[in-house]
Amino acid sequence: TFAVPSWPGTLVWSPDGKSLAFTLFVPDAEPPSFLQQAVDAAEGSLERPADAQWAAPVQVTQVERYRQDGGGWLKSGHRHLFVLSVVDGTVRQVGSEPFDDSDPAWLPDGKRLLFTSDRRPGREHMYPVSAIYMTDMSGDATRVTHGNDSYYDPKLSPDGQWIAYIKIPSRQASYTRSDLYVMHADGTEPRQLAAALDRDLSGAAWAADSRGVYAKFDDHGVSCLGLFDLNGHSKTLVSGLGGRFS
């Protein structure tokens, strides 16, 4: 049993079924700022009548994004990658740099992971984007994609030759279509698989023979599942599913 301080996300089994990769929010270990300590000390020195109804304590923030609709005040910290061994129960944190990591996906060797992250300097003041990275278990990450577009949900093909992913062009608009792409495992020669389909695509999953990618999309309010081959051909396998599916 592994006790976690927050709810884990994106649990993914390793190819051999012996490890589980996931993301987990880790609070910062830094002590409260000097200003917060001063405010706490001042509030603690006040005489409080027993029957008084006091407001919540004052919170001091020094970051631009400090609260969220439906979530309230955000805790200081970052979402990191973790790997849990189901053989002996050990847990390893993969990397500890001050970035938020998402979308873990195993490589066939079971020793490396793909993931997405925004690691640009000054990203707090920029339109959010994410790039695809590759890391070993030591946390030594290498960036796979480049440019200002956003990349999500990377999946390596069973033969290890291709990476499928969802790409959203960086147009800084209220809505931009999400497209399905593949590229070589080293990040070269990106290729759009569904250029003719004017629909948002998500949930990429490789076919067993590595010759195509399954993805889901909505068409006129109907949920569909399609298969997109590496040459740009596609076909709808199932439609009229309704509700949510994965």
Side-chain angles (χ1 to χ4, degrees):
T1 302
F2 171 50
V4 296
S6 61
W7 192 258
T10 319
L11 284 75
V12 185
W13 286 103
S14 62
D16 61 7
K18 296 181 179 180
S19 298
L20 190 64
F22 57 94
T23 61
L24 188 69
F25 179 81
V26 179
D28 285 340
E30 298 179 0
S33 66
F34 174 79
L35 183 56
Q36 182 70 65
Q37 294 181 55
V39 169
D40 292 344
E43 288 190 326
S45 66
L46 296 175
E47 295 184 7
R48 306 188 179 198
D51 58 346
Q53 297 294 321
W54 286 75
V58 173
Q59 296 190 58
V60 178
T61 182
Q62 295 175 294
V63 297
E64 292 80 359
R65 185 172 180 268
Y66 60 92
R67 62 184 178 183
Q68 177 176 302
D69 289 345
W73 282 75
L74 300 176
K75 294 181 180 179
S76 178
H78 296 88
R79 183 165 288 275
H80 294 294
L81 301 176
F82 285 80
V83 172
L84 166 67
S85 170
V86 297
V87 177
D88 56 19
T90 58
V91 179
R92 172 187 296 179
Q93 181 174 331
V94 182
S96 58
E97 296 183 88
F99 305 112
D100 291 303
D101 302 329
S102 303
D103 298 330
W106 288 96
L107 274 71
D109 61 12
K111 299 179 180 179
R112 295 172 294 165
L113 289 165
L114 295 171
F115 67 97
T116 60
S117 184
D118 186 355
R119 301 193 167 194
R120 299 169 300 165
R123 60 194 175 279
E124 298 86 357
H125 310 285
M126 301 177 182
Y127 192 82
V129 301
S130 62
I132 297 175
Y133 289 81
M134 183 183 296
T135 183
D136 57 20
M137 294 298 101
S138 72
D140 184 16
T142 301
R143 184 168 178 170
V144 178
T145 59
H146 301 278
N148 297 320
D149 297 325
S150 286
Y151 302 83
Y152 300 98
D153 200 18
K155 300 289 176 56
L156 194 75
S157 60
D159 63 8
Q161 300 299 309
W162 300 90
I163 297 174
Y165 58 94
I166 301 298
K167 174 182 173 181
I168 301 179
S170 180
R171 296 173 183 166
Q172 300 187 16
S174 58
Y175 168 76
T176 304
R177 193 183 74 196
S178 56
D179 292 318
L180 177 64
Y181 279 75
V182 296
M183 60 184 170
H184 289 298
D186 61 2
T188 59
E189 297 187 26
R191 181 187 306 176
Q192 187 176 2
L193 296 189
L197 181 63
D198 185 22
R199 298 291 183 268
D200 286 309
L201 289 153
S202 62
W206 279 97
D209 59 7
S210 299
R211 299 174 62 182
V213 181
Y214 299 102
K216 54 186 178 179
F217 60 94
D218 290 340
D219 184 30
H220 295 88
V222 177
S223 296
C224 304
L225 178 67
L227 175 61
F228 306 84
D229 69 25
L230 301 184
N231 296 316
H233 303 119
S234 65
K235 60 180 178 180
T236 299
L237 300 177
V238 184
S239 63
L241 295 173
R244 301 183 61 185
F245 67 97
S246 60

